[in-house]
Amino acid sequence: MMEKIPTQTGARDQLLADLKTVILDAEAWLRHGGSLTGEQLEAAKAKFEGALTSAKEGLANLEVIEKSKAAAKATDTYVKDNPWKAVGIGAVAGVVLGMLINRR
C-alpha cells in the first residue's frame, strides 16, 4: 500500500480561507462600492486584489501538489507492476549520470 505523501501544511485550508476572503471582499465591494471615496476606494481595491492574488497562488500551489501526488502514485504503481524494468531504468540512469560526471 502506498504511504501518504506529505504536502504543504494547511495548503487546502489556506486556499479555502483565501477564497472566503475574496468572496467577502467582493460582496463588500458590491454593497459599498458606490459610497467609497478616492482613498477608501483605492484601499479597498488593493485589499481585494491582494486577496485575489493570494487565492490564485494558493490554487496554483494546490494544483501542483495534486499533480505531484498523481505522478508519485503512477510511479509507485509502475514500479510495483514492473520491478525489473524499474531496476533497469535506474541502472541505466546511473550509468549515464556517471559518464556525464566523469567527463568533467
Side-chain angles (χ1 to χ4, degrees):
M1 178 177 247
M2 188 172 152
E3 295 178 26
K4 281 194 168 192
I5 299 170
T7 59
Q8 184 178 358
T9 306
R12 188 177 306 270
D13 295 336
Q14 181 63 39
L15 176 62
L16 290 175
D18 288 344
L19 290 174
K20 286 178 185 178
T21 301
V22 168
I23 290 169
L24 291 174
D25 287 349
E27 289 173 345
W29 183 297
L30 288 173
R31 271 188 256 119
H32 306 293
S35 64
L36 296 176
T37 61
E39 288 183 15
Q40 292 172 334
L41 185 61
E42 288 300 319
K45 182 179 176 183
K47 180 181 176 189
F48 182 71
E49 287 176 347
L52 187 59
T53 301
S54 178
K56 284 181 183 179
E57 289 172 358
L59 183 59
N61 289 340
L62 193 58
E63 287 176 353
V64 168
I65 290 169
E66 293 300 321
K67 287 179 182 179
S68 297
K69 282 183 179 181
K73 186 174 182 179
T75 302
D76 185 60
T77 301
Y78 179 82
V79 169
K80 285 182 180 179
D81 292 344
N82 305 293
W84 288 110
K85 284 184 183 178
V87 169
I89 291 170
V92 169
V95 168
V96 170
L97 186 61
M99 288 176 20
L100 290 173
I101 291 172
N102 195 24
R103 283 187 174 183
R104 292 184 177 193

